[in-house]
Amino acid sequence: MSQRKLIYFILGWVFITIIEYYFIPYFIVLLLWIGLSLTLLTIAINQLLKLVKERNSITKLRIQNVIVFSLLFYLTFSRFLVNGLIEKADWAIFYNNRTEIVKQVERKELNPNVSWNDWVCELPFEFPVVSNGGNDIGIYRNENNKTLTVTFWVYRNFFSAPSTFFVYTNDDKEKKELEELIVKAPKNNWKIENNWYRTFRE
């Protein structure tokens, strides 16, 4: 494999990883993860065997191939590492967009608007993707104390399986529940900043 093809392969992997993170449903992600992991493992082993065969005349390109495909296999197989980095970048890049959406919800410019659920709001735009799995957000208004909770999907699972969220809330009761969740499972749940949380739950 030439250096140019190797670069194209890396760019293709980056593209697939980003598309997978934002757009592809869970069951397809699982199949893609298995297929891509096996493909990269096969290529990495093949490149390693060629490296051993050519040990008397090893080229720089062959070493690069072994390193790149081994690294891509590791990053693909350990998908949570890459997704964690994308999640952190996503939070920073789209922070202002999400803050503006919360303000629109506070002004009641955005409200639940789908027939199949009484708390989901389908955002009036497709890009940027501020809530994965369809750019829907969850809106809960506590009319008793005039507080608000807005939920953005980070990873949207199916049915009752847990999903990952960015949550904005100024509701003290909701904050208490989130703080309890953080204490129970701090690896998957944490406070990002005032009124903002990252959670993994149903």
Side-chain angles (χ1 to χ4, degrees), residues 89 153 161:
W153 275 273

Side-chain angles (χ1 to χ4, degrees), residues 50-63:
K50 287 181 178 180
L51 181 68
V52 172
K53 278 185 180 179
E54 299 167 2
R55 60 185 176 274
N56 294 326
S57 57
I58 296 174
T59 63
K60 183 179 176 182
L61 181 60
R62 182 68 67 202
I63 294 171

Side-chain angles (χ1 to χ4, degrees), residues 9 13 16 20 29-45 69-80:
F9 202 100
W13 180 87
I16 289 171
E20 173 190 293
V29 167
L30 184 61
L31 294 174
L32 187 62
W33 173 72
I34 293 170
L36 195 54
S37 294
L38 289 174
T39 299
L40 289 169
L41 178 61
T42 302
I43 295 173
I45 291 172
F69 285 109
S70 298
L71 185 59
L72 290 182
F73 165 71
Y74 174 75
L75 292 174
T76 302
F77 190 76
S78 306
R79 189 165 52 94
F80 63 91

